[in-house]
Amino acid sequence: MKIVALTGAGISAESGIATFRGAGGLWEGHRVEDVATPEAWEYDPETVLEFYNSRRKAVAEAFPNAGHIALARLEAKHEVTVITQNIDDLHERAESSHVLHLHGEIMKARSTCDFPRVMNWGARDIVLGDLCESGSQLRPHVVWFGEEVPEYMRAVPIIAQADVLMVIGTSLQVYPASGLVELARPGIPIYWVDPDSDMAGLSTAGEVFHFPEPAAGALPGIVDRLLESQTGRPE
Ligand code: BJW
């Protein structure tokens, strides 16, 4: 079976990485909407770099949790793609083989010249004065509000071909990632794993099975059943 997991900040919450919205979803008083924009970068790049430097450090110190590890285990029997909105590398460190990052990767840096180059950067800080070969300032390789989401077009056919979709730890408040769920084929099982029960963002023709639990608790059992299942349904 082709299984696609669309993940958001909630899957990394139990690894100690804060979510964006709701309790704890602030960074020193900043909302992500105020810091993760090209305008913020233009007017106050130092604050933007500090925001990402502190988050890069948090990611480097974190470990994949039982949720990330369970998803990787699914590959023993199924063709699995993880489409994540997260910029952390916890799916990769849990050994998921096919991970598509819609909103970029914090361990990479990108030049700000006309033909931007992406480079592996690792856990160290990016500071003003870190330049690419052609002399432009480096920035985190992430997608800010108002910027295009280049990986979106790669995600569309992957979702559209899924036999099973898992939607894990995302509020589905950010476009265009939020619209991907609507592209699932009618009737396919959709495992929605999120302690929040507000279905406002979840518009789909699939058959939704809600697990209102933290991902690290719920996913190991769900994965065990999917490894046994012939139909992909949680019977
Ligand atoms: C748990 C849990 C546990 C907790 N276990 N679960 C007005 C209307 C509509 C759209 C727009 C509008 N104005 C502007 C827009 C467009 C804008 C947008 O959507 N804005 C909204 C805020 C309204 N989008 C854009 O600008 C995007 N670009 C764009 O649209 O370009 C045009 C385009 C058109 C067509 C095709 C392609 C492009 C770019 C969006 C970039 C978003 N970037 C960020 C920052 C990235 C870098 C960084 O990380 O700093 O991405 S914002 C932030 O939100 C981050 C996340 O990936 C993203 C989504 O958040 P997520 O993952 O859903 O987290 P939360 O915190 O919201 O939810 C966590 C969930 O976990 C909750 O449900 C909890 O209950 C749950 N949970 N513990 C399981 N233990």
Side-chain angles (χ1 to χ4, degrees):
M1 271 183 287
K2 288 186 176 156
I3 301 185
V4 176
L6 176 64
T7 68
I11 195 167
S12 296
E14 287 151 284
S15 294
I17 300 178
T19 60
F20 295 96
R21 298 166 186 89
L26 285 173
W27 178 74
E28 293 186 3
H30 298 279
R31 293 183 318 140
V32 66
E33 286 81 357
D34 297 333
V35 194
T37 67
E39 291 77 20
W41 175 246
E42 191 180 338
Y43 293 116
D44 189 358
E46 206 161 359
T47 298
V48 174
L49 287 175
E50 271 176 43
F51 175 63
Y52 285 100
N53 288 341
S54 86
R55 290 182 52 206
R56 194 179 296 102
K57 215 162 267 144
V59 169
E61 287 167 5
F63 292 95
N65 63 49
H68 300 101
I69 292 165
L71 284 184
R73 214 157 40 80
L74 263 182
E75 294 181 16
K77 179 144 174 225
H78 301 293
E79 205 178 306
V80 184
T81 306
V82 177
I83 299 176
T84 188
Q85 296 168 81
N86 299 344
I87 60 176
D88 67 52
D89 58 358
L90 297 182
H91 285 301
E92 284 90 345
R93 285 201 264 145
E95 298 191 359
S96 276
S97 313
H98 306 288
V99 184
L100 189 155
H101 287 269
L102 286 173
H103 295 157
E105 295 174 68
I106 199 166
M107 295 300 177
K108 294 184 177 172
R110 181 162 94 222
S111 51
T112 49
C113 53
D114 289 343
F115 300 100
R117 211 166 67 78
V118 176
M119 58 202 86
N120 289 324
W121 188 258
R124 66 209 146 108
D125 287 355
I126 302 178
V127 296
L128 288 180
D130 282 333
L131 308 177
C132 72
E133 289 153 359
S134 55
S136 76
Q137 174 64 41
L138 296 182
R139 58 165 275 185
H141 177 54
V142 300
V143 179
W144 289 326
F145 286 109
E147 293 188 320
E148 279 186 25
V149 182
E151 295 295 326
Y152 175 77
M153 291 315 290
R154 280 217 306 139
V156 168
I158 295 171
I159 295 261
Q161 288 164 26
D163 300 308
V164 174
L165 178 61
M166 306 172 85
V167 180
I168 306 162
T170 171
S171 63
L172 293 174
Q173 285 186 34
V174 174
Y175 172 87
S178 54
L180 283 171
V181 182
E182 291 173 33
L183 306 178
R185 287 184 295 122
I188 68 161
I190 302 203
Y191 292 74
W192 173 34
V193 182
D194 195 310
D196 190 350
S197 298
D198 177 7
M199 281 189 73
L202 196 63
S203 157
T204 173
E207 186 181 357
V208 177
F209 301 98
H210 185 205
F211 296 80
E213 299 158 47
L219 283 173
I222 293 174
V223 164
D224 284 345
R225 276 188 268 171
L226 279 169
L227 287 171
E228 296 298 318
S229 169
Q230 302 300 318
T231 65
R233 293 191 142 61
E235 55 266 327

